[in-house]
Amino acid sequence: MKNLGQMMKQVQEMQEKMQSMQEQMENLLVDGASGAGMVSVTLNGKGIVRKITIDPSIVDPKDVGLLEDLIVAAVNDART
């Protein structure tokens, strides 16, 4: 029974460490960019997009596909 109590204590300690690590991941920010920095994306450590910045000079209503591609590339850059 002594080993069971010790094991339960270790499990609780591990759960506390995991909770702390999850909180740290939410606070971690990573940046990615594409198009020579014309599009930049900031993700948190869990991969959630926190911010997107787009240089106004690349916004062309006739070429939305380019902007979409640059956003995808910037997100992928941030994830790596």
Side-chain angles (χ1 to χ4, degrees):
M1 286 296 170
K2 188 175 183 182
N3 287 338
L4 181 60
Q6 220 173 6
M7 194 165 68
M8 293 300 290
K9 184 178 178 182
Q10 288 176 341
V11 168
Q12 184 178 8
E13 288 173 0
M14 189 182 309
Q15 287 174 334
E16 290 170 1
K17 285 181 184 179
M18 287 181 62
Q19 177 67 28
S20 174
M21 289 176 69
Q22 288 176 347
E23 290 171 5
Q24 289 176 358
M25 291 296 286
E26 285 183 25
N27 294 326
L28 175 71
L29 296 177
V30 292
D31 296 314
S34 66
M38 295 176 128
V39 173
S40 63
V41 175
T42 301
L43 305 177
N44 72 7
K46 290 188 171 187
I48 297 171
V49 176
R50 305 305 283 172
K51 181 180 179 183
I52 296 177
T53 304
I54 301 170
D55 185 322
S57 69
I58 65 167
V59 179
D60 181 0
K62 296 177 187 169
D63 193 8
V64 175
L66 172 64
L67 183 56
E68 293 169 342
D69 291 343
L70 289 171
I71 292 170
V72 169
V75 170
N76 290 334
D77 183 46
R79 294 195 75 170
T80 58

